[in-house]
Amino acid sequence: WSRSVEGRSEDCSRRMSTSRQLLEVLDCRESVNVSSTPQHHEIDGIFLSKLTSSKDVFLYLVSTFSRAAQYGDQDWAQYVRRQCISYSALVLLQPGNFAGASAPPPDFASLKLFLLVEESGQLRAPPGFVQELLSKLESLELPHYPTPHGCLKSLILGNSNSVIPYIISRLSKKQVTDNTAAEFLMMEELCSNKAAMKFLFESQYWTPKGVSFNMAQMIEMKTILGSFLRLSCYPESQIVAGQLQPIRHPVGQDCFSDCVHKAKLDIDSSVSQVRTFLQASQAKTLNMMKIMLKDSNSQQEVFSWISTVLKHNEIRLKLGYHVGYLMARSSSTGFLFNLLSVLLKLCKPFADPDHPKALWHKIDSTWLLSKHRMDLSNETRLATTRGNAHGENEGGEDHEELEQDEHIEVSKNFGTISEYFFLALRCLNIVHLSQQVKDYAKISRELQERNHSLNQSADDVHEKMAEISVLVERRLCYDVVLMDPNLVDELLLFARLVARWLLRVADAPPTILPLPPKPSAMFKAIPEFCVEGVTDILRMVAQMNIPTLELMGMPILQDLFNFLMVFSSNDVYIRNPYLRGKLLEVMSLLIPRGRNEGFELGGGSLATLFEEHDIARKFLVPTLIRFYVDIEVTGRDYSNNQFYEKFHYRHYMAELLMYIMKFPHYITALKRESENVAEFVRFINMMLNDIIHCIDEGLLKLADIRKTEFEKADTQAWNAKSEEERNQAEQHLQTMYGQAGWGLQAATEVLTMMEKLTKHVLDPFLRAELADRVAAMLNYVIKTIAGPRCIELKVQHPEKCYFKPKELLALVVEVFMNLAKHEKFALAVVRDERSYDHEVLAKVYRLIRTHALEDESFCQQFLDYTQVLQESKQNQMELDAKIEEAPDEFLDPITQDIMTDPVILPTSGNIMDRQAIMRHLLSDETDPFNRMKLTPDMLQPAEDLKKRINEFLASRRT
């Protein structure tokens, strides 16, 4: 009996406890009779009472839902939560029906929803509330709301005050350093609802409708994803009155405006703080997009949106983008960097090519030929002479059609790995990293010049400091993005992936080289920007973040160097010599240098890279020699500015060649390559052309500079000129200094390369077709620098035009003495009637000895050789006198010298000396008499004439 009484007492207590719990959950403080097992109608009655008396109905409902959630799966608690959701939906849609929400503002629903996610708001949404609310709105049917899902659509997209446009509006007023957590949280909740996303994809807030002119900017400013991705601090520019003008970024003004007065530690801290905000924004955007990408339908919409962005930003790749209205039509660079960062992160799971699962093998290269995302058919491809991805140039001329058996079957569907990979690759192309590096270098130079100006003069200090402050602010904004270690690591990881993918498509063997003789059809279809993406990444890191390369693991470095070696050495797989030039340019940036050039670890992983790389030791020397020739022979087909661009890339080729000549393996390779006589002779001939042109360009400009400086020195005559005339003369003077500097610097570099080469190889330089040219070039430079008219080269500021006469003279003399070791050189020197002068050589001896340009032993050797030359000249004069009356048929028709090896030109029937016609064919493979095609192998020996010439010479010598 007692146990029965206790049981009934406990049961009664439990019922009373349930009633009390219900009243607490509903926040009901009045005396209300509730049955022991609360019924739905009883709960509804309390609800109605509270809804009519609460000042903030929505706040009450969210709080009640949160309290009910504490009682788990109890029937009454579940019912309370369902009612909270239902009434919340009604409050948001019809706030005027509730007393606590009378006269609601237009953006009432959006404001209330944001209370659920605002960190500083009145409440935070309990778990599951937002998703249950969205689901309820999805199924709710009310008058005046079109079905299906009309209520949900109205809430998120109904008008400009709905949730999506409200988020966009809020973000448009914020910067990356502002608190955007609420916007991200709300969007993540919406992304988890398929119906909400379906409505979004169909709306103008996903892709603007009816816009054509500035679509890229509209996507950035007026779409939901664009609004998140535009959050950056990257400095932008705009066209004002036809001039490119920088725009001060609000984040820069807020965070970096006074950094010119701060210590470096404080500046680094400020940069780090802003970068943290940027990284957080990118990470949240990535999470939001990952939610979308989980659903197959949403996935396709996201891919289409990205491809639309990239398509409308292709104008950034056009010539003149920075000087015309095109800039006004593109997205901001900060927006595109954020998009690139997100895409790189999406690629990260399969970016390691050494991962056991080898997920990167799923990359379907036919994506490049499919037009389901974007049309790349007009992109120049790798393995064609010129033209687009189908091998056609702009005029429609077919250069290299795919053969009949090379048809490529394009896949109909592509996995996410292929989508991520190629969208990231195209985005990298459109971001145009090389241009960003140039912009960064430009602002760094401007900052250096302003600081130099400030140190030189105390005038206008405040104005100069203000200018410097703005420049520092702008450069720090660059630093936040471009020096972001996360971005750098992701870019290098992606560059390695692209490099391995390209080698795989090229069917590279396990030994990497040699590649198959003929590229596959798929490789032929790959656009050039795929290779440029890797070069742009490596160039950016090498120029801005060298320690990263020094610390790079050898497997990654080896993969990247393999890529550079394979494709720079193969003109069948990459026809464009300028693209191969970019590969060599990047390779030259991997040469270890000193601390003053940013190498803080003595080269680190790069220190032994060239010395130990097997492929480089075998193929680098022939690659460099062949490239020097190719850039001139085929370069004109790829560039309208071929003359100056060839010097640009030859500079990097020269740097590489001069560096590797320190290692015995490469010297052996050079000697082996010199045995390829035809190729090596063409290489030497082009070096001679470059030296002669550049020396002339530099020295002639020096004479002009001297003339103008004399005019300025005559103060009376100079002041008599008008201000406009003086300004024009001053501008012309600066231009000449620049042109002279370019010529002299280029000539010095090629001469330095020749000095390295002639230490190890002599025979090719003194072949019959080259010996006279080599000697004449050296005689000319020596006579110009040290001859009677050398005073004409004296200018006021030789350092401004890279004119170092002593160093240049020493360099030329070193080449001269290297060649003096060959028996044929002396005769070639003295045959040069235009520039050979024994008195000038005697003066050169005095100069190099007096100024200690060379050691005593070298000076004595030079003096002794001048005596050898004098004797050789005397012998040559005596021989010339003996053969002065040679028959005309023994003389070359162009040089008028007696022939030693006469040959017949089959195209015209004329006879020339072999060395004379070979010298001509080095630059122009045509018959000089009729311009018909003529090659060395077509020359026919004139044996009978040669016999008679030899008999004549023999008789004269005796």
Side-chain angles (χ1 to χ4, degrees):
W1 178 80
S2 72
R3 282 196 299 272
S4 176
V5 170
E6 288 175 2
R8 287 196 295 271
S9 174
E10 289 175 5
D11 185 52
C12 180
S13 174
R14 190 161 48 250
R15 289 173 185 172
M16 290 179 63
S17 176
T18 299
S19 301
R20 206 163 36 246
Q21 289 170 354
L22 172 63
L23 295 176
E24 288 176 357
V25 165
L26 296 177
D27 192 26
C28 183
R29 294 180 176 82
E30 296 83 3
S31 178
V32 179
N33 293 321
V34 180
S35 57
S36 56
T37 303
Q39 301 299 306
H40 291 179
H41 69 275
E42 295 174 330
I43 296 174
D44 290 341
I46 300 174
F47 252 124
L48 288 174
S49 173
K50 295 298 296 183
L51 292 178
T52 55
S53 61
S54 296
K55 292 182 178 180
D56 190 330
V57 176
F58 190 74
L59 176 62
Y60 168 74
L61 292 170
V62 176
S63 302
T64 301
F65 182 96
S66 182
R67 291 191 292 269
Q70 300 174 16
Y71 295 97
D73 296 332
Q74 294 186 49
D75 178 71
W76 66 269
Q78 290 183 5
Y79 182 74
V80 167
R81 293 201 298 272
R82 289 197 299 273
Q83 290 298 87
C84 286
I85 294 295
S86 297
Y87 280 118
S88 294
L90 291 173
V91 170
L92 293 176
L93 292 171
Q94 300 173 340
N97 294 339
F98 297 86
S102 57
D107 54 356
F108 172 82
S110 297
L111 284 170
K112 290 300 179 183
L113 280 176
F114 266 89
L115 288 176
L116 305 179
V117 291
E118 290 277 16
E119 292 184 356
S120 59
Q122 293 173 285
L123 61 106
R124 295 295 303 278
F129 179 85
V130 175
Q131 285 306 309
E132 288 189 38
L133 178 59
L134 293 174
S135 297
K136 182 63 180 179
L137 288 163
E138 183 181 345
S139 61
L140 187 63
E141 295 184 8
L142 292 174
H144 310 300
Y145 290 93
T147 55
H149 318 311
C151 294
L152 177 61
K153 184 176 182 179
S154 176
L155 179 71
I156 64 172
L157 292 165
N159 54 54
S160 60
N161 294 307
S162 299
V163 177
I164 294 294
Y166 185 72
I167 294 175
I168 295 173
S169 175
R170 285 170 59 110
L171 288 172
S172 68
K173 302 168 187 173
K174 292 189 175 185
Q175 299 298 330
V176 70
T177 50
D178 294 328
N179 186 353
T180 54
E183 289 81 1
F184 276 107
L185 287 170
M186 179 55 66
M187 195 59 209
E188 286 178 8
E189 295 283 5
L190 292 176
C191 288
S192 300
N193 185 278
K194 291 184 180 181
M197 295 312 297
K198 181 177 180 296
F199 290 135
L200 174 59
F201 296 146
E202 295 170 352
S203 75
Q204 62 178 337
Y205 301 110
W206 183 254
T207 305
K209 307 296 188 291
V211 179
S212 58
F213 178 76
N214 60 340
M215 181 67 161
Q217 285 198 341
M218 290 297 291
I219 290 175
E220 177 177 347
M221 302 304 298
K222 300 297 183 181
T223 69
I224 189 66
L225 273 185
S227 297
F228 285 106
L229 288 169
R230 60 163 282 276
L231 297 171
S232 178
C233 67
Y234 200 81
E236 307 291 343
S237 300
Q238 62 183 356
I239 300 294
V240 178
Q243 298 292 321
L244 188 65
Q245 299 290 339
I247 303 173
R248 291 187 69 185
H249 200 287
V251 173
Q253 294 183 64
D254 290 343
C255 303
F256 305 135
S257 59
D258 61 341
C259 280
V260 72
H261 302 294
K262 289 184 178 179
K264 185 178 185 303
L265 193 63
D266 294 332
I267 294 173
D268 291 344
S269 176
S270 298
V271 170
S272 179
Q273 289 175 6
V274 176
R275 186 178 291 145
T276 300
F277 280 111
L278 179 63
Q279 291 172 343
S281 178
Q282 291 170 347
K284 290 174 185 176
T285 305
L286 174 66
N287 291 335
M288 184 174 67
M289 292 180 69
K290 279 184 175 179
I291 296 171
M292 297 183 192
L293 292 166
K294 288 179 181 177
D295 178 70
S296 59
N297 293 328
S298 298
Q299 190 179 88
Q300 296 306 312
E301 293 290 345
V302 172
F303 291 151
S304 295
W305 185 87
I306 295 172
S307 62
T308 301
V309 170
L310 299 180
K311 174 184 175 183
H312 287 283
N313 277 288
E314 288 174 354
I315 54 176
R316 297 173 66 93
L317 304 175
K318 293 182 180 294
L319 290 175
Y321 169 74
H322 284 90
V323 294
Y325 70 95
L326 294 177
M327 181 176 286
R329 296 174 54 192
S330 69
S331 302
S332 67
T333 307
F335 166 86
L336 291 170
F337 259 115
N338 284 337
L339 178 58
L340 176 61
S341 175
V342 169
L343 289 169
L344 291 175
K345 288 177 172 65
L346 290 172
C347 291
K348 201 168 184 178
F350 60 88
D352 182 2
D354 291 331
H355 193 279
K357 292 185 178 179
L359 294 175
W360 69 285
H361 285 183
K362 294 183 180 180
I363 296 172
D364 187 343
S365 302
T366 64
W367 190 99
L368 294 165
L369 300 178
S370 171
K371 298 180 181 180
H372 74 296
R373 295 288 175 229
M374 57 188 72
D375 184 358
L376 299 175
S377 59
N378 287 323
E379 292 292 326
T380 304
R381 64 182 188 173
L382 293 174
T384 53
T385 51
R386 291 187 70 182
N388 59 26
H390 296 303
E392 297 176 357
N393 65 11
E394 293 178 359
E397 182 183 351
D398 189 358
H399 282 272
E400 191 168 330
E401 289 277 6
L402 294 178
E403 296 178 4
Q404 294 293 328
D405 59 345
E406 290 187 319
H407 174 71
I408 301 173
E409 188 67 34
V410 179
S411 303
K412 295 181 180 179
N413 298 300
F414 299 91
T416 54
I417 287 179
S418 296
E419 298 279 10
Y420 293 157
F421 178 76
F422 288 110
L423 288 172
L425 197 50
R426 185 58 168 172
C427 187
L428 177 64
N429 172 232
I430 288 172
V431 166
H432 206 176
L433 277 183
S434 59
Q435 183 60 51
Q436 308 312 317
V437 173
K438 288 178 184 176
D439 292 345
Y440 183 84
K442 180 182 177 183
I443 197 169
S444 297
R445 285 195 303 272
E446 289 180 9
L447 190 55
Q448 189 175 9
E449 290 168 2
R450 299 296 171 84
N451 279 320
H452 179 73
S453 174
L454 182 64
N455 294 331
Q456 292 293 312
S457 171
D459 297 337
D460 304 320
V461 172
H462 294 295
E463 183 179 339
K464 289 178 180 178
M465 285 298 296
E467 292 174 351
I468 290 173
S469 180
V470 171
L471 288 173
V472 168
E473 172 192 309
R474 187 171 177 83
R475 195 176 77 169
L476 291 175
C477 287
Y478 275 112
D479 285 342
V480 170
V481 179
L482 297 179
M483 306 294 280
D484 180 358
N486 291 349
L487 177 66
V488 171
D489 289 345
E490 289 161 1
L491 284 170
L492 286 172
L493 194 62
F494 188 69
R496 184 194 187 194
L497 174 63
V498 176
R500 287 282 286 270
W501 165 72
L502 283 166
L503 288 171
R504 186 166 182 261
V505 179
D507 298 321
T511 56
I512 307 300
L513 280 174
L515 296 178
K518 182 179 177 183
S520 67
M522 187 62 243
F523 190 87
K524 289 180 181 179
I526 293 176
E528 287 186 350
F529 72 75
C530 296
V531 171
E532 288 174 335
V534 182
T535 62
D536 286 350
I537 290 171
L538 292 178
R539 185 191 292 111
M540 186 192 90
V541 178
Q543 291 181 341
M544 301 180 62
N545 211 322
I546 293 172
T548 300
L549 291 177
E550 293 182 287
L551 294 171
M552 186 182 293
M554 284 308 294
I556 300 177
L557 197 56
Q558 288 282 350
D559 276 346
L560 293 172
F561 203 76
N562 287 342
F563 161 82
L564 295 173
M565 271 306 314
V566 167
F567 294 116
S568 65
S569 65
N570 199 307
D571 59 358
V572 176
Y573 280 74
I574 297 187
R575 294 290 183 84
N576 185 346
Y578 294 104
L579 184 53
R580 281 182 279 126
K582 289 181 181 179
L583 295 168
L584 292 176
E585 175 187 353
V586 170
M587 199 183 299
S588 74
L589 295 175
L590 303 180
I591 297 173
R593 294 176 172 86
R595 276 183 177 272
N596 59 326
E597 296 189 53
F599 285 77
E600 300 176 2
L601 307 173
S605 300
L606 303 176
T608 59
L609 179 62
F610 287 87
E611 188 177 4
E612 297 178 355
H613 198 276
D614 291 335
I615 297 175
R617 292 198 302 191
K618 186 175 181 181
F619 293 100
L620 183 53
V621 169
T623 294
L624 297 175
I625 302 298
R626 188 162 56 251
F627 173 76
Y628 202 96
V629 176
D630 284 353
I631 195 71
E632 181 155 323
V633 175
T634 62
R636 63 180 65 94
D637 294 331
Y638 291 86
S639 173
N640 296 324
N641 195 26
Q642 183 256 353
F643 180 80
Y644 289 101
E645 285 195 21
K646 74 176 182 182
F647 283 104
H648 172 79
Y649 290 114
R650 281 176 174 173
H651 160 74
Y652 299 108
M653 173 265 169
E655 278 197 334
L656 283 165
L657 195 61
M658 288 186 285
Y659 172 70
I660 61 178
M661 284 299 102
K662 299 191 301 184
F663 307 117
H665 285 289
Y666 290 102
I667 295 172
T668 303
L670 174 67
K671 293 177 179 178
R672 186 168 56 247
E673 183 63 19
S674 69
E675 296 171 5
N676 180 4
V677 176
E679 189 79 20
F680 207 83
V681 165
R682 292 183 80 193
F683 163 60
I684 295 171
N685 184 63
M686 289 181 181
M687 278 203 300
L688 294 174
N689 291 343
D690 288 350
I691 293 171
I692 293 168
H693 172 82
C694 294
I695 282 286
D696 279 344
E697 178 79 9
L699 299 183
L700 288 175
K701 290 295 186 294
L702 287 179
D704 290 342
I705 291 170
R706 181 176 173 83
K707 178 182 176 183
T708 305
E709 288 178 341
F710 266 115
E711 291 178 0
K712 289 182 66 177
D714 186 349
T715 310
Q716 185 175 357
W718 180 257
N719 291 334
K721 294 177 180 286
S722 67
E723 183 177 357
E724 183 179 356
E725 289 176 326
R726 289 197 301 271
N727 289 337
Q728 288 178 349
E730 190 65 44
Q731 290 175 3
H732 180 61
L733 179 64
Q734 299 308 316
T735 300
M736 287 190 294
Y737 262 114
Q739 292 173 344
W742 174 85
L744 292 169
Q745 192 167 5
T748 301
E749 188 170 69
V750 183
L751 277 167
T752 304
M753 183 166 58
M754 184 176 284
E755 189 273 331
K756 299 288 185 187
L757 294 173
T758 52
K759 278 184 178 179
H760 310 291
V761 175
L762 292 177
D763 285 347
F765 287 89
L766 293 166
R767 284 180 59 85
E769 60 266 39
L770 284 179
D772 288 349
R773 285 203 74 205
V774 172
M777 180 273 293
L778 295 172
N779 283 338
Y780 168 71
V781 177
I782 289 173
K783 186 174 182 179
T784 305
I785 298 174
R789 302 181 65 181
C790 64
I791 190 64
E792 296 176 5
L793 305 178
K794 189 173 182 179
V795 295
Q796 292 179 5
H797 303 287
E799 73 285 350
K800 289 175 63 176
C801 55
Y802 203 80
F803 183 45
K804 303 175 182 179
K806 294 177 184 177
E807 288 85 343
L808 183 57
L809 180 62
L811 180 59
V812 175
V813 170
E814 286 170 8
V815 176
F816 194 90
M817 291 306 293
N818 286 343
L819 293 168
K821 298 170 186 175
H822 199 287
E823 57 186 10
K824 294 182 180 180
F825 184 60
L827 185 59
V829 171
V830 298
R831 276 203 302 257
D832 176 23
E833 296 181 359
R834 178 188 174 192
S835 299
Y836 171 70
D837 188 328
H838 179 74
E839 295 301 323
V840 171
L841 292 180
K843 180 182 178 182
V844 169
Y845 164 73
R846 293 194 298 273
L847 288 172
I848 62 175
R849 193 167 184 269
T850 302
H851 296 285
L853 301 180
E854 302 289 350
D855 60 38
E856 192 64 35
S857 173
F858 183 94
C859 294
Q860 186 60 47
Q861 290 174 23
F862 182 80
L863 178 62
D864 293 343
Y865 193 67
T866 61
Q867 299 306 314
V868 172
L869 292 174
Q870 197 169 19
E871 294 172 7
S872 182
K873 179 65 175 178
Q874 184 63 36
N875 295 336
Q876 182 64 32
M877 290 172 63
E878 292 174 1
L879 178 60
D880 288 345
K882 292 178 180 179
I883 63 174
E884 189 173 358
E885 298 178 359
D888 288 345
E889 65 172 328
F890 291 178
L891 304 180
D892 182 274
I894 294 179
T895 65
Q896 290 299 301
D897 292 329
I898 193 165
M899 295 184 285
T900 58
D901 187 7
V903 292
I904 302 170
L905 314 187
T907 45
S908 65
N910 288 289
I911 296 177
M912 288 184 65
D913 194 22
R914 183 183 293 275
Q915 70 177 30
I917 186 60
M918 287 294 291
R919 188 160 55 241
H920 167 78
L921 295 178
L922 286 173
S923 303
D924 184 1
E925 289 191 337
T926 62
D927 188 318
F929 298 99
N930 60 15
R931 309 304 298 165
M932 292 181 65
K933 179 72 174 178
L934 180 65
T935 56
D937 58 295
M938 296 168 64
L939 302 176
Q940 301 169 2
E943 298 289 356
D944 181 63
L945 180 59
K946 182 177 181 179
K947 181 180 178 181
R948 288 188 287 124
I949 292 173
N950 288 339
E951 290 173 351
F952 171 79
L953 291 174
S955 66
R956 289 294 186 268
R957 288 194 178 98
T958 57

